[in-house]
Amino acid sequence: MTSNKWEGEDLFQETLMKLYLALKRQPDRTLTKRFFYQVARNTWIDQLRKQKVTTESFEENKYPGNDHEDFFQICESLEILAEYLTVKQFVIVLFMDVFQFTAQETADMISDTQANMYTILHRSRKKLKKCIDLATDPKSAFEPLMTKVTRFLGTEHT
């Protein structure tokens, strides 16, 4: 009936509770497989009705920044970050600099220490700064992409 183990366990507990209350009201009632199934099924339907989520239609122009050009710039920026940073550095930069998670929240998500988050973030920024400094050479064709990355990260370079 349920889509995962936890919902199944919740349904089982709710069903046992309802069966207990039914037996308490009618102690002479015999418990059949059919009755157990009916209580479980009705309990599941009740839970689904309570969880019913209202959805709204997505309108493309409803949200600002929904420009395809912005999307491609973000993709380019992420590709550059992925190219120059390790996976762990990439994740930490995204969590802390882009999504504004705290060091403790980030550490909890990736099972590491808060101090290590600050260290890795500092080294990542240093590595990106070095890439930006190399790319700011006037002869470099890499300049526009690095400008997009720094704009994406919110750290404009001069």
Side-chain angles (χ1 to χ4, degrees), residues 9 21 73 85-86 88 101 105 108-109 123 142 153-154:
E9 289 173 356
L21 293 174
Q73 287 178 349
L85 300 176
T86 66
K88 194 171 193 176
F101 284 104
E105 291 169 333
D108 291 341
M109 284 188 271
R123 290 178 182 164
F142 194 54
L153 291 175

PDB file of all heavy atoms in Angstrom, residues 9 21 73 85-86 88 101 105 108-109 123 142 153-154:
ATOM      1  N   GLU A   9       5.630   1.592   8.210  1.00  0.00           N
ATOM      2  CA  GLU A   9       5.700   1.444   9.665  1.00  0.00           C
ATOM      3  C   GLU A   9       4.683   2.355  10.359  1.00  0.00           C
ATOM      4  O   GLU A   9       4.038   1.948  11.327  1.00  0.00           O
ATOM      5  CB  GLU A   9       7.116   1.753  10.152  1.00  0.00           C
ATOM      6  CG  GLU A   9       8.124   0.693   9.763  1.00  0.00           C
ATOM      7  CD  GLU A   9       9.550   1.071  10.087  1.00  0.00           C
ATOM      8  OE1 GLU A   9       9.805   2.201  10.563  1.00  0.00           O
ATOM      9  OE2 GLU A   9      10.437   0.227   9.859  1.00  0.00           O
ATOM     10  N   LEU A  21      -8.366   0.190  19.764  1.00  0.00           N
ATOM     11  CA  LEU A  21      -9.543   0.955  20.170  1.00  0.00           C
ATOM     12  C   LEU A  21     -10.841   0.236  19.791  1.00  0.00           C
ATOM     13  O   LEU A  21     -11.815   0.261  20.544  1.00  0.00           O
ATOM     14  CB  LEU A  21      -9.509   2.352  19.557  1.00  0.00           C
ATOM     15  CG  LEU A  21      -8.388   3.268  20.067  1.00  0.00           C
ATOM     16  CD1 LEU A  21      -8.359   4.575  19.271  1.00  0.00           C
ATOM     17  CD2 LEU A  21      -8.549   3.546  21.549  1.00  0.00           C
ATOM     18  N   GLN A  73      24.389  30.762 -18.246  1.00  0.00           N
ATOM     19  CA  GLN A  73      25.509  31.352 -17.512  1.00  0.00           C
ATOM     20  C   GLN A  73      25.760  30.589 -16.216  1.00  0.00           C
ATOM     21  O   GLN A  73      26.904  30.337 -15.846  1.00  0.00           O
ATOM     22  CB  GLN A  73      25.235  32.824 -17.213  1.00  0.00           C
ATOM     23  CG  GLN A  73      25.353  33.711 -18.429  1.00  0.00           C
ATOM     24  CD  GLN A  73      25.040  35.168 -18.115  1.00  0.00           C
ATOM     25  OE1 GLN A  73      24.550  35.486 -17.042  1.00  0.00           O
ATOM     26  NE2 GLN A  73      25.318  36.040 -19.064  1.00  0.00           N
ATOM     27  N   LEU A  85      37.763  22.687  -9.015  1.00  0.00           N
ATOM     28  CA  LEU A  85      37.672  22.298  -7.610  1.00  0.00           C
ATOM     29  C   LEU A  85      37.452  20.798  -7.486  1.00  0.00           C
ATOM     30  O   LEU A  85      36.899  20.164  -8.394  1.00  0.00           O
ATOM     31  CB  LEU A  85      36.508  23.030  -6.919  1.00  0.00           C
ATOM     32  CG  LEU A  85      36.569  24.551  -6.895  1.00  0.00           C
ATOM     33  CD1 LEU A  85      35.302  25.113  -6.261  1.00  0.00           C
ATOM     34  CD2 LEU A  85      37.802  25.044  -6.161  1.00  0.00           C
ATOM     35  N   THR A  86      37.850  20.249  -6.348  1.00  0.00           N
ATOM     36  CA  THR A  86      37.537  18.849  -6.078  1.00  0.00           C
ATOM     37  C   THR A  86      36.030  18.755  -5.801  1.00  0.00           C
ATOM     38  O   THR A  86      35.372  19.771  -5.572  1.00  0.00           O
ATOM     39  CB  THR A  86      38.311  18.324  -4.857  1.00  0.00           C
ATOM     40  OG1 THR A  86      37.848  19.021  -3.697  1.00  0.00           O
ATOM     41  CG2 THR A  86      39.811  18.495  -5.023  1.00  0.00           C
ATOM     42  N   LYS A  88      34.500  17.682  -3.154  1.00  0.00           N
ATOM     43  CA  LYS A  88      34.195  18.171  -1.817  1.00  0.00           C
ATOM     44  C   LYS A  88      34.242  19.696  -1.775  1.00  0.00           C
ATOM     45  O   LYS A  88      33.364  20.343  -1.196  1.00  0.00           O
ATOM     46  CB  LYS A  88      35.172  17.578  -0.803  1.00  0.00           C
ATOM     47  CG  LYS A  88      34.764  17.749   0.625  1.00  0.00           C
ATOM     48  CD  LYS A  88      35.668  16.931   1.533  1.00  0.00           C
ATOM     49  CE  LYS A  88      35.107  16.835   2.922  1.00  0.00           C
ATOM     50  NZ  LYS A  88      35.911  15.989   3.788  1.00  0.00           N
ATOM     51  N   PHE A 101      24.280  28.185   3.456  1.00  0.00           N
ATOM     52  CA  PHE A 101      24.233  27.317   4.620  1.00  0.00           C
ATOM     53  C   PHE A 101      25.363  27.712   5.560  1.00  0.00           C
ATOM     54  O   PHE A 101      26.403  28.200   5.123  1.00  0.00           O
ATOM     55  CB  PHE A 101      24.406  25.836   4.229  1.00  0.00           C
ATOM     56  CG  PHE A 101      23.192  25.222   3.614  1.00  0.00           C
ATOM     57  CD1 PHE A 101      23.123  25.002   2.254  1.00  0.00           C
ATOM     58  CD2 PHE A 101      22.117  24.844   4.411  1.00  0.00           C
ATOM     59  CE1 PHE A 101      22.003  24.415   1.688  1.00  0.00           C
ATOM     60  CE2 PHE A 101      20.990  24.256   3.847  1.00  0.00           C
ATOM     61  CZ  PHE A 101      20.931  24.054   2.481  1.00  0.00           C
ATOM     62  N   GLU A 105      25.843  23.534   9.453  1.00  0.00           N
ATOM     63  CA  GLU A 105      24.842  22.827   8.643  1.00  0.00           C
ATOM     64  C   GLU A 105      25.525  22.041   7.531  1.00  0.00           C
ATOM     65  O   GLU A 105      25.171  20.881   7.263  1.00  0.00           O
ATOM     66  CB  GLU A 105      23.848  23.821   8.039  1.00  0.00           C
ATOM     67  CG  GLU A 105      22.944  24.479   9.041  1.00  0.00           C
ATOM     68  CD  GLU A 105      22.149  25.643   8.457  1.00  0.00           C
ATOM     69  OE1 GLU A 105      22.611  26.274   7.487  1.00  0.00           O
ATOM     70  OE2 GLU A 105      21.065  25.920   8.996  1.00  0.00           O
ATOM     71  N   ASP A 108      27.292  19.015   8.967  1.00  0.00           N
ATOM     72  CA  ASP A 108      26.331  17.963   9.296  1.00  0.00           C
ATOM     73  C   ASP A 108      25.888  17.202   8.051  1.00  0.00           C
ATOM     74  O   ASP A 108      25.740  15.978   8.080  1.00  0.00           O
ATOM     75  CB  ASP A 108      25.109  18.544  10.008  1.00  0.00           C
ATOM     76  CG  ASP A 108      25.441  19.053  11.408  1.00  0.00           C
ATOM     77  OD1 ASP A 108      26.491  18.655  11.969  1.00  0.00           O
ATOM     78  OD2 ASP A 108      24.637  19.860  11.935  1.00  0.00           O
ATOM     79  N   MET A 109      25.683  17.933   6.954  1.00  0.00           N
ATOM     80  CA  MET A 109      25.201  17.290   5.729  1.00  0.00           C
ATOM     81  C   MET A 109      26.236  16.358   5.117  1.00  0.00           C
ATOM     82  O   MET A 109      25.876  15.345   4.506  1.00  0.00           O
ATOM     83  CB  MET A 109      24.776  18.344   4.711  1.00  0.00           C
ATOM     84  CG  MET A 109      23.451  18.968   5.023  1.00  0.00           C
ATOM     85  SD  MET A 109      22.872  20.034   3.717  1.00  0.00           S
ATOM     86  CE  MET A 109      23.612  21.586   4.192  1.00  0.00           C
ATOM     87  N   ARG A 123      40.453  27.383   1.226  1.00  0.00           N
ATOM     88  CA  ARG A 123      41.328  26.854   0.158  1.00  0.00           C
ATOM     89  C   ARG A 123      40.639  26.901  -1.197  1.00  0.00           C
ATOM     90  O   ARG A 123      41.276  27.171  -2.219  1.00  0.00           O
ATOM     91  CB  ARG A 123      41.751  25.428   0.496  1.00  0.00           C
ATOM     92  CG  ARG A 123      42.712  25.373   1.652  1.00  0.00           C
ATOM     93  CD  ARG A 123      43.095  23.968   2.018  1.00  0.00           C
ATOM     94  NE  ARG A 123      43.989  23.971   3.169  1.00  0.00           N
ATOM     95  CZ  ARG A 123      44.245  22.904   3.902  1.00  0.00           C
ATOM     96  NH1 ARG A 123      43.685  21.742   3.608  1.00  0.00           N
ATOM     97  NH2 ARG A 123      45.058  22.989   4.937  1.00  0.00           N
ATOM     98  N   PHE A 142      39.641  33.313 -21.545  1.00  0.00           N
ATOM     99  CA  PHE A 142      38.987  32.724 -20.391  1.00  0.00           C
ATOM    100  C   PHE A 142      38.313  33.787 -19.516  1.00  0.00           C
ATOM    101  O   PHE A 142      37.474  33.487 -18.702  1.00  0.00           O
ATOM    102  CB  PHE A 142      40.076  31.982 -19.600  1.00  0.00           C
ATOM    103  CG  PHE A 142      39.584  31.044 -18.560  1.00  0.00           C
ATOM    104  CD1 PHE A 142      38.680  30.053 -18.873  1.00  0.00           C
ATOM    105  CD2 PHE A 142      40.057  31.137 -17.268  1.00  0.00           C
ATOM    106  CE1 PHE A 142      38.246  29.167 -17.904  1.00  0.00           C
ATOM    107  CE2 PHE A 142      39.624  30.261 -16.299  1.00  0.00           C
ATOM    108  CZ  PHE A 142      38.716  29.277 -16.628  1.00  0.00           C
ATOM    109  N   LEU A 153      29.166  33.750  -7.840  1.00  0.00           N
ATOM    110  CA  LEU A 153      29.531  33.560  -6.439  1.00  0.00           C
ATOM    111  C   LEU A 153      29.360  34.818  -5.620  1.00  0.00           C
ATOM    112  O   LEU A 153      29.437  34.787  -4.408  1.00  0.00           O
ATOM    113  CB  LEU A 153      30.976  33.084  -6.328  1.00  0.00           C
ATOM    114  CG  LEU A 153      31.249  31.670  -6.824  1.00  0.00           C
ATOM    115  CD1 LEU A 153      32.743  31.370  -6.769  1.00  0.00           C
ATOM    116  CD2 LEU A 153      30.484  30.650  -6.018  1.00  0.00           C
ATOM    117  N   GLY A 154      29.149  35.941  -6.292  1.00  0.00           N
ATOM    118  CA  GLY A 154      28.954  37.197  -5.578  1.00  0.00           C
ATOM    119  C   GLY A 154      30.255  37.814  -5.113  1.00  0.00           C
ATOM    120  O   GLY A 154      30.280  38.617  -4.187  1.00  0.00           O
TER     121      GLY A 154
END
